[in-house]
Amino acid sequence: MIYNFLYPLHTKLSFLNVFRYITFRTIYASLTAFLICFVFGPFVIRKIREMQIGQYIRKAGPETHLDKAGTPTMGGLLILFAVIVSSLLWADLKNFYVWIILLSAFSFGLIGFIDDYLMQIKKRSKGLSAWGKFSMQVVFAVLIGFLVYMTPDFDTRVTIPFFKNISPDLGVGYILFAALVIVGTSNAVNLTDGLDGLAIGPILIASVTYMLFAYAAGHVKIAEYLQINFVIGGGEVTVLCGALAGASMGFLWFNTYPAQIFMGDVGSLSLGAILGTIAVITKQEILLVLVGGIFVIEALSVIIQVGYFKISKGRRIFRMAPLHHHFELKGWAEPKVIVRFWIIAITLALISISTLKLR
Ligand code: 57M
């Protein structure tokens, strides 16, 4: 909005020229989103407490989690508010990708909100049925995939990390591929969100990583130099990555151990979907497996545990899945599991960035 209203005035007031720069707007999008979370956080926590929207804890989990009963949840509403307001302020609203990412945030936030809301009304630790949630996710993800596909000049070739000469063109099948990336990431982030700061930390790391990818993909010279896909208008996604990074920092302020608030499904489902959508638009879809490696590892631990449990008729590989519960049950203190997972996330992000050169 600031860009759309103020930049055109730069011919009369030359200092307004600064709003043209994606880098400048990304920094301020990040700071704005951080400040929104930081300033409104205590108010939101207080309000949610007053409305008695507290977390129900499953009895089957690690015992240390029983103390967390009643922690305010649905903090994802604050994250979404910060991301959306900051993006509307700092991004170019004529850019179609900006609206697609905001749609992704809103639609998956809505699914998560319904889930959290049902949990509060029904006063239990389960909200929507698994199939109800999954089918809504698929519908919205296919819609987002379709919109990306319909964007003029969008390239339906998939980037394969490390191999610059191999990029299969999926054509119309790209819609389903994009939907798979979005739904997969949304659910993987949801599974990861089981310890204080465990999901939002890697989201912050991934958003900073994609900030670089978006900037490179949207800059014709850098894209050409790095031999990556040039995405017309993709540079604007950098600003949204900045908003996401800022909101993540602001939320982490309150979600860090011992958490004063959880994000709820409204947060985890939408953050995963935003990340998946950004990966699709910036043409670093497959690389998300590495950038969001923590989410992948957590999801795989569940698939392996459930698969093995069924085949072996009741035996387990991990003490409990997702993986963070395994380490908790081994006796690691919660902050140790969290920080070590963050360290792994940073390492994977650095390796991901190196793929820009290793091709
Ligand atoms: C939701 N939700 C947290 C909070 C957060 C298939 C199966 C593996 C699914 C999985 C599952 O349902 N996962 C998705 C995970 C919950 O947090 C809420 O949920 C939101 C995210 N959706 O924002 O609102 C609990 O996580 C803890 N928490 C924190 N700090 C945070 O910042 O401590 C969350 C955020 C909170 C709080 O305790 O209550 C959750 O874990 O429930 N199911 C599981 O994860 C279950 N695993 C399981 O059943 N494993 C079996 C299977 C795979 C065979 C096994 O290994 O044998 C466990 N989850 C829990 N207890 N809590 C089972 C026991």
Side-chain angles (χ1 to χ4, degrees):
M1 225 175 273
I2 293 179
Y3 171 81
N4 299 96
F5 284 120
L6 294 187
Y7 177 61
L9 303 177
H10 78 280
T11 44
K12 293 194 181 80
L13 301 166
S14 62
F15 71 94
L16 294 178
N17 202 27
V18 72
F19 291 113
R20 194 183 103 205
Y21 298 106
I22 285 176
T23 42
F24 178 82
R25 287 186 285 118
T26 301
I27 292 171
Y28 280 88
S30 175
L31 292 174
T32 306
F34 171 73
L35 275 179
I36 290 176
C37 282
F38 186 74
V39 170
F40 290 106
F43 169 79
V44 170
I45 293 170
R46 208 169 44 244
K47 275 286 154 211
I48 292 178
R49 264 195 200 288
E50 276 168 24
M51 290 161 78
Q52 298 192 324
I53 304 180
Q55 184 69 46
Y56 293 89
I57 307 286
R58 276 183 257 206
K59 301 255 173 357
E63 271 176 30
T64 44
H65 283 250
L66 297 177
D67 294 346
K68 294 173 182 250
T71 305
T73 184
M74 296 177 84
L77 285 173
L78 178 65
I79 306 177
L80 281 182
F81 178 71
V83 170
I84 294 173
V85 169
S86 170
S87 303
L88 290 178
L89 277 176
W90 294 102
D92 173 7
L93 300 185
K94 291 199 294 289
N95 183 297
F96 197 49
Y97 291 133
V98 169
W99 291 105
I100 295 179
I101 296 170
L102 292 182
L103 172 71
S104 176
F106 182 80
S107 56
F108 278 72
L110 184 68
I111 302 170
F113 179 83
I114 296 172
D115 196 31
D116 289 333
Y117 187 74
L118 288 178
M119 258 185 258
Q120 296 306 322
I121 300 258
K122 292 187 185 170
K123 301 272 176 231
R124 57 184 193 143
S125 64
K126 259 180 139 320
L128 277 171
S129 73
W131 272 108
K133 196 156 45 173
F134 183 67
S135 42
M136 286 167 82
Q137 287 179 317
V138 170
V139 169
F140 282 122
V142 169
L143 173 67
I144 293 159
F146 175 74
L147 292 173
V148 172
Y149 175 76
M150 292 306 285
T151 309
D153 298 317
F154 186 78
D155 192 339
T156 51
R157 284 174 303 170
V158 177
T159 311
I160 312 287
F162 304 108
F163 297 97
K164 62 173 172 262
N165 296 324
I166 308 174
S167 44
D169 193 342
L170 301 185
V172 72
Y174 195 92
I175 297 176
L176 288 183
F177 171 70
L180 180 75
V181 173
I182 295 165
V183 173
T185 318
S186 174
N187 287 317
V189 173
N190 187 33
L191 287 173
T192 308
D193 189 28
L195 297 180
D196 301 350
L198 187 68
I200 202 69
I203 287 282
L204 168 58
I205 295 159
S207 51
V208 174
T209 309
Y210 271 99
M211 211 186 272
L212 297 178
F213 291 144
Y215 189 77
H219 193 294
V220 68
K221 286 201 179 119
I222 298 177
E224 193 182 271
Y225 171 69
L226 293 171
Q227 295 185 308
I228 57 170
N229 284 47
F230 169 54
V231 183
I232 301 170
E236 210 55 35
V237 175
T238 320
V239 182
L240 273 89
C241 291
L244 184 57
S248 302
M249 285 193 296
F251 183 71
L252 183 57
W253 189 275
F254 302 104
N255 182 233
T256 189
Y257 181 85
Q260 292 162 271
I261 189 166
F262 298 156
M263 65 172 80
D265 279 13
V266 62
S268 58
L269 293 182
S270 59
L271 289 176
I274 297 174
L275 197 59
T277 311
I278 289 174
V280 165
I281 294 174
T282 55
K283 304 298 306 163
Q284 295 291 356
E285 318 91 336
I286 307 269
L287 199 61
L288 183 54
V289 173
L290 204 57
V291 181
I294 285 294
F295 306 128
V296 176
I297 293 166
E298 290 270 35
L300 278 180
S301 74
V302 172
I303 294 168
I304 293 169
Q305 178 91 327
V306 174
Y308 188 73
F309 190 87
K310 283 191 180 149
I311 299 169
S312 68
K313 298 196 175 61
R315 287 175 50 202
R316 288 179 165 83
I317 289 193
F318 305 107
R319 295 188 183 190
M320 188 184 278
L323 195 59
H324 53 263
H325 286 317
H326 172 78
F327 291 111
E328 275 195 293
L329 291 176
K330 271 183 82 171
W332 291 21
E334 184 173 342
K336 183 169 258 179
V337 182
I338 299 160
V339 174
R340 286 189 172 168
F341 276 45
W342 287 352
I343 293 171
I344 295 169
I346 294 170
T347 310
L348 294 176
L350 289 173
I351 297 171
S352 308
I353 295 167
S354 80
T355 66
L356 286 174
K357 282 284 175 197
L358 293 176
R359 313 176 80 233

